[in-house]
Amino acid sequence: QVQLVESGGGLVQTGGSLKLACLASGRTISNYAMAWFRQAPGKEREFLASISRMSSRTNYPDSVKGRFTISRDNAKNTVFLQMNTVNPEDTAVYYCAAGQSYIGIGQKAYDYWGRGTQVTVSS
């Protein structure tokens, strides 16, 4: 199995930027499609972005398209989420996940999860 640990969360002002990282251990992430989700209190876990094993394909919902960018560095066993032009609605716990296909947008499509990192956007 693969273990995932997110980092880079914190407090950022509206309109600012933040870059999250997810470091994997146990297996190389080149074996997996990777994704980012987030969850705010009282809300369902929300799909944010996914990327194929060799970075040739990505997928984003309209809510973050053009603001968030997912990328990966397989040599460093790390996946990133670049967040730009953030707003208070982006406040949530952010999770990375590993699965079999970048096409998946639901939680059940991914087999391994990190514990999350808190992102808080001030107004």
Side-chain angles (χ1 to χ4, degrees):
Q1 63 180 1
V2 59
Q3 293 181 315
L4 306 173
V5 180
E6 302 94 338
S7 63
L11 179 64
V12 62
Q13 293 183 328
T14 296
S17 298
L18 199 65
K19 189 173 184 178
L20 307 182
C22 176
L23 177 64
S25 61
R27 289 186 176 181
T28 174
I29 62 168
S30 65
N31 293 321
Y32 304 97
M34 301 295 294
W36 286 93
F37 290 74
R38 68 185 179 191
Q39 189 165 22
K43 300 185 68 176
E44 297 292 323
R45 192 164 295 189
E46 177 188 14
F47 170 78
L48 297 175
S50 61
I51 186 167
S52 60
R53 297 175 185 180
M54 302 305 295
S55 301
S56 61
R57 304 293 297 273
T58 57
N59 188 33
Y60 304 92
D62 290 342
S63 60
V64 304
K65 189 174 183 179
R67 297 193 300 122
F68 291 6
T69 303
I70 189 171
S71 62
R72 64 194 297 162
D73 186 340
N74 287 348
K76 296 182 178 180
N77 234 24
T78 304
V79 61
F80 303 93
L81 184 69
Q82 178 67 49
M83 304 168 58
N84 296 329
T85 319
V86 298
N87 59 69
E89 299 300 316
D90 296 319
T91 296
V93 177
Y94 284 68
Y95 301 88
C96 65
Q100 297 303 305
S101 175
Y102 84 101
I103 298 174
I105 61 172
Q107 291 184 65
K108 294 183 178 180
Y110 297 89
D111 302 311
Y112 304 101
W113 294 82
R115 291 186 177 274
T117 185
Q118 177 72 47
V119 172
T120 302
V121 182
S122 64
S123 59

